[in-house]
Amino acid sequence: MTRKVTLSIPDFLYEELKKWRPTLNLSGMFQETVAEAIQKKEEFQKRFQQDFDMPEIIKRLQQEKMESEKNYFDTGKAEGLKWAKTAHYEDLIKAVQHTNPKDLFHTPEMNEYFNKIFKSDKLMKFSYNQDRLGPYAKLFLEGWSKGILDFYNEIKEKL
């Protein structure tokens, strides 16, 4: 069984088609072209399904996300330790007393320090419009606080 299909073509193509119509099998050309296009799409879909195991991809991306988050925490911890080793005593005590690391960011003496760090990393950029930190900046700050607390806990009995 065959079915009729109506096509629309631009005027310039229609004028050219009128010249060559007697020598062209339009129905055959259309059938071949459509069959080839459908075959390509089906092959792509089949290849996509075979080549990509979505649960495996999601598992890999979840693992990469966890590693990335750990890296931000660890980087913050190392930076906090570095800062604590050079901080003045009063600044160290202030930093240790802040129970919420996000509060440290908003202190005038620390704002410039953290802004410089956050602006150097696209994932940590501070969102001024919403006055909140993104998740990677929060992880960095949590690590930073952990670094200074670990340092302080190590030395506090010696002070």
Side-chain angles (χ1 to χ4, degrees):
M1 172 185 252
T2 59
R3 303 277 181 150
K4 281 191 172 194
V5 176
T6 303
L7 299 174
S8 298
I9 58 174
D11 289 339
F12 77 90
L13 188 55
Y14 180 76
E15 294 302 320
E16 291 295 312
L17 180 62
K18 283 193 321 189
K19 291 184 215 174
W20 297 101
R21 178 96 190 236
T23 62
L24 298 173
N25 178 355
L26 294 178
S27 183
M29 291 172 60
F30 177 77
Q31 289 172 28
E32 283 179 34
T33 304
V34 169
E36 187 178 306
I38 289 171
Q39 181 183 0
K40 284 181 180 178
K41 288 195 173 282
E42 286 176 348
E43 286 175 1
F44 175 77
Q45 287 296 322
K46 185 178 177 183
R47 196 171 57 246
F48 182 79
Q49 295 300 323
Q50 289 173 345
D51 291 350
F52 299 107
D53 180 7
M54 293 308 278
E56 240 351 92
I57 292 171
I58 290 169
K59 184 178 177 182
R60 175 186 56 83
L61 289 172
Q62 287 173 335
Q63 180 65 32
E64 289 175 6
K65 179 183 176 194
M66 284 180 10
E67 290 170 7
S68 179
E69 290 171 346
K70 183 179 182 325
N71 286 341
Y72 277 91
F73 181 87
D74 290 347
T75 300
K77 186 175 176 182
E79 187 65 31
L81 178 61
K82 182 176 140 185
W83 179 88
K85 288 180 179 180
T86 61
H88 292 283
Y89 176 77
E90 288 179 8
D91 292 333
L92 179 62
I93 297 304
K94 284 180 192 175
V96 168
Q97 290 175 344
H98 275 57
T99 55
N100 183 355
K102 186 178 169 186
D103 293 341
L104 278 171
F105 178 81
H106 294 292
T107 62
E109 57 273 7
M110 298 302 292
N111 187 271
E112 186 177 330
Y113 167 79
F114 285 121
N115 263 330
K116 187 176 180 181
I117 293 170
F118 293 165
K119 285 181 180 179
S120 69
D121 186 298
K122 289 181 181 180
L123 292 177
M124 285 199 301
K125 277 193 176 177
F126 181 74
S127 174
Y128 291 100
N129 296 339
Q130 298 167 338
D131 194 32
R132 64 183 177 95
L133 297 172
Y136 290 98
K138 287 178 186 175
L139 287 167
F140 178 89
L141 279 175
E142 288 169 12
W144 191 89
S145 291
K146 177 79 168 115
I148 63 166
L149 284 173
D150 287 353
F151 174 78
Y152 181 75
N153 288 332
E154 188 68 31
I155 63 155
K156 70 181 174 185
E157 298 300 321
K158 299 173 179 116
L159 296 178

